Amino acid sequence: MKFGRRQFMTQAAVGAAASLAGGGTAQAEVLFPKDPNKFGRGGSTTGGVSRSEQTLYDCEIEGKLPVDLDGSFFRVGPDAQYPKSQQFEDDIFFDGEGHVSLFQFKNGHVDFRSRYVKNDRWKAQHAARKSLFGYYRNRSSDDASVQDVRRASHNTHVWVHANRLYALKEDSPPALINPHTLETIDSNYTFGGAYTAETFTAHPKNDPETGEMFAFGYEAKGLGSTDINVISVGRDGKINWSAWVNAPYCCMLHDFAVTRRHIAFLAIPMAYNKASPVHWAWDNTKQPWLGVMRRGGDGKDIRWVPGPMNMSDHTMGSWSDGDRFFWDMDGADGNRFPFFPHLHDRFDPVKGQARVRRFSMDLSRKSVRNFDMEVLYPDVTGALSRQDDRYNVDPYRYGFLVSAWGSKGQGWTMFDHQKRTHRTFMPGPDAVLNEAVFAPRRKGAAEADGYLLGVAHLPKENRSEVLVLDTQDITAGPIARVILPGRATPQIHGNWIPGDQLPPG
Ligand code: V55
Ligand code: FE
């Protein structure tokens, strides 16, 4: 088996090397590499990471910010605290320490703040003034001094439910963050001990009608396990339903679907492999499987069926129509993350391009041989699907995507599934776009009526800004831009939380 550019190391060798490096080298100089591809994105002077926590009262604003736009735009991403030691310098971006940021919108003003998640991993490295953790999700590569320290990075998503702000990483329980100061309140929140799974998804869903949050943990009983724990959390912040199911094999279950009737998972061939330095390897001999279960049941009814090869990860929307289940995601025909090793084939950039796909299963049928999968918009490739989050569990009409247009650069695309049309805003080839989030125009506004917000990085100008678009016509360009004096912290995901959904600070 081959691991591409990565020099293959056995787990034993990595572990032994890590232990040797850990002994008596606390005073060793930390070398910050100039190569932005090293240690998961280079040093702050190369522009790969930020490393600096920021506070800016009253950002400069260009254009006209709607005065009634009142809420918090939270973001989080991997921002390597220290460079990895040389033997792990090819570790992947996904392993950087979680750095949360907040654009606080009120009365036409925007205040910006960013803070690292002060979890156990951050604290241990802070005290040692160096990196102590090895490869992505690889405990055996961690320094001997931190074998008993939680390795959660909390770098993937931020979610609000029942007055709590969570910072999330799918390999660990959540961290609780103060939504105003961004200080870490609890770096291993387990719902008062009620949550027993070892992991918790980065992609919960909220049901606006019942006030519940749905979440799950996969690989929930330790390394390589197929166990999945699905839960819902009531308005009171307590777990009010829990079920255990099993995946057909241990693989990355990054997102899921929740409707009024069903809960679903898509198993993809990004499978656990104990020889991979970064936990997963792409195994094209495995098939994707769609598993659908009744919401609120004991999980015994889950039906897993295989289907065509694809790697789909982010939910745009999902709903149930009687016994028929529908799930839209952005997905590709093959692996879309070239930084994970392939077991039997090579990364194919064409197969790695993702398009919006609709998965479905008719659960009224006694026997279902395969799940159905349809590409909805063959002419749009992209990633980071979103919707108006008030429709997480219901039929929905509009979706959003970061789209890719070759030399013309990136765009934010808004889809109208009812008309099967789409519109794209393109900032130009010099801008790099983060995921966009939707903010309702006002409480009770119609679906997708409001604003689309997101960070655009301008590498040539060495700074970032938040673009605010009106969803009535995103092609008209930003109605306002919130300017940062420098680069914003890295982002995987973000969320817009209306002001009335958080207690006053
Ligand atoms: C993703 C990101 C992660 C991760 C697993 O699809 C999947 C994105 C930033 O970390 O650990
Ligand atoms: Fe994600």
Side-chain angles (χ1 to χ4, degrees):
M1 91 186 46
K2 251 183 105 190
F3 284 101
R5 68 183 169 83
R6 188 181 307 285
Q7 244 204 321
F8 176 73
M9 280 194 274
T10 66
Q11 297 252 320
V14 171
S19 312
L20 286 174
T25 56
Q27 303 309 314
E29 188 189 352
V30 172
L31 294 171
F32 287 89
K34 297 297 170 223
D35 179 350
N37 296 312
K38 292 283 161 68
F39 92 91
R41 280 302 199 267
S44 55
T45 57
T46 65
V49 292
S50 163
R51 298 190 68 241
S52 65
E53 299 183 322
Q54 299 164 34
T55 307
L56 176 58
Y57 194 69
D58 259 319
C59 296
E60 293 168 41
I61 291 165
E62 289 186 8
K64 204 164 156 38
L65 206 58
V67 284
D68 53 355
L69 188 57
D70 180 331
S72 307
F73 174 29
F74 295 106
R75 309 158 62 247
V76 69
D79 190 4
Q81 184 185 1
Y82 282 101
K84 301 263 173 179
S85 57
Q86 208 175 4
Q87 60 190 313
F88 310 123
E89 69 178 7
D90 59 345
D91 191 23
I92 64 175
F93 176 58
F94 282 6
D95 200 37
E97 283 70 26
H99 193 161
V100 177
S101 66
L102 163 62
F103 291 91
Q104 182 73 60
F105 288 67
K106 201 173 179 64
N107 299 326
H109 296 273
V110 181
D111 302 325
F112 180 71
R113 171 184 293 264
S114 87
R115 296 291 183 271
Y116 270 106
V117 182
K118 305 291 163 53
N119 47 35
D120 300 358
R121 167 178 171 148
W122 185 94
K123 285 179 185 163
Q125 297 187 142
H126 186 74
R129 288 188 182 269
K130 66 171 185 175
S131 169
L132 297 169
F133 291 81
Y135 283 125
Y136 175 76
R137 294 189 70 166
N138 186 337
R139 173 55 101 186
S140 74
S141 67
D142 296 343
D143 191 273
S145 67
V146 291
Q147 284 297 320
D148 295 325
V149 177
R150 291 191 184 96
R151 75 189 318 283
S153 59
H154 299 117
N155 68 8
T156 311
H157 206 356
V158 273
W159 197 259
V160 168
H161 176 254
N163 288 337
R164 295 188 184 120
L165 171 64
Y166 299 98
L168 302 162
K169 176 72 174 182
E170 65 196 48
D171 67 358
S172 302
L176 275 190
I177 308 292
N178 180 309
H180 305 288
T181 65
L182 302 188
E183 268 147 44
T184 301
I185 300 164
D186 186 339
S187 67
N188 190 64
Y189 184 67
T190 58
F191 300 85
Y195 189 71
T196 57
E198 292 183 19
T199 59
F200 192 97
T201 181
H203 288 282
K205 305 279 178 270
N206 287 353
D207 182 329
E209 208 164 282
T210 66
E212 290 167 306
M213 173 176 77
F214 287 80
F216 70 100
Y218 75 88
E219 206 174 348
K221 290 188 178 172
L223 202 63
S225 60
T226 58
D227 306 83
I228 304 171
N229 185 202
V230 205
I231 60 161
S232 61
V233 180
R235 290 181 203 278
D236 60 359
K238 293 197 174 109
I239 294 177
N240 61 10
W241 171 69
S242 169
W244 287 84
V245 294
N246 281 91
Y249 53 93
C250 178
C251 62
M252 186 190 274
L253 294 174
H254 183 62
D255 201 343
F256 76 144
V258 181
T259 73
R260 297 225 165 265
R261 298 195 63 190
H262 300 114
I263 289 180
F265 304 95
L266 182 74
I268 50 166
M270 185 58 81
Y272 172 67
N273 184 289
K274 68 178 187 327
S276 169
V278 288
H279 197 79
W280 307 117
W282 181 256
D283 181 355
N284 67 345
T285 64
K286 290 188 160 63
Q287 254 188 303
W289 292 73
L290 178 65
V292 187
M293 62 189 272
R294 203 159 46 80
R295 169 173 156 179
D298 62 7
K300 291 203 172 75
D301 58 303
I302 192 162
R303 284 169 80 175
W304 288 99
V305 291
M309 181 57 89
N310 75 93
M311 176 170 173
S312 302
D313 57 4
H314 287 123
T315 298
M316 185 174 275
S318 65
W319 72 97
S320 297
D321 180 1
D323 286 330
R324 293 200 304 161
F325 165 78
F326 298 91
W327 186 5
D328 296 347
M329 277 186 275
D330 58 271
D333 288 330
N335 177 27
R336 46 199 296 199
F337 292 153
F339 38 84
F340 285 107
H342 279 236
L343 283 189
H344 310 292
D345 59 349
R346 279 172 175 276
F347 176 74
D348 177 342
V350 175
K351 282 190 186 167
Q353 284 181 343
R355 293 174 174 82
V356 181
R357 289 156 193 255
R358 179 159 295 171
F359 297 78
S360 58
M361 203 199 284
D362 184 349
L363 290 132
S364 69
R365 289 167 52 189
K366 268 226 168 65
S367 146
V368 183
R369 277 175 187 273
N370 288 101
F371 63 78
D372 295 313
M373 182 178 79
E374 177 198 1
V375 173
L376 297 186
Y377 304 93
D379 52 333
V380 183
T381 62
L384 299 164
S385 287
R386 293 303 296 256
Q387 66 176 157
D388 177 337
D389 275 332
R390 297 172 299 172
Y391 291 78
N392 275 181
V393 302
D394 284 307
Y396 79 112
R397 177 169 173 181
Y398 301 100
F400 306 99
L401 192 76
V402 179
S403 49
W405 304 95
S407 58
K408 291 191 201 134
Q410 291 177 297
W412 283 324
T413 297
M414 177 169 173
F415 299 92
D416 178 341
H417 296 318
Q418 192 170 304
K419 292 188 176 155
R420 286 277 174 117
T421 57
H422 54 84
R423 284 177 158 183
T424 298
F425 159 72
M426 292 189 13
D430 292 337
V432 179
L433 294 179
N434 285 167
E435 177 192 58
V437 298
F438 170 74
R441 196 173 304 279
R442 59 185 65 85
K443 206 180 166 77
E447 182 187 354
D449 177 27
Y451 308 99
L452 193 64
L453 291 87
V455 165
H457 296 284
L458 304 165
K460 284 191 176 161
E461 298 175 42
N462 205 18
R463 64 179 186 86
S464 311
E465 52 193 36
V466 176
L467 307 180
V468 183
L469 308 173
D470 192 314
T471 55
Q472 289 306 310
D473 182 8
I474 61 168
T475 65
I479 55 170
R481 292 154 54 220
V482 180
I483 314 284
L484 285 182
R487 270 188 303 260
T489 51
Q491 176 180 350
I492 299 287
H493 293 294
N495 254 321
W496 171 264
I497 306 299
D500 63 358
Q501 284 181 27
L502 282 169

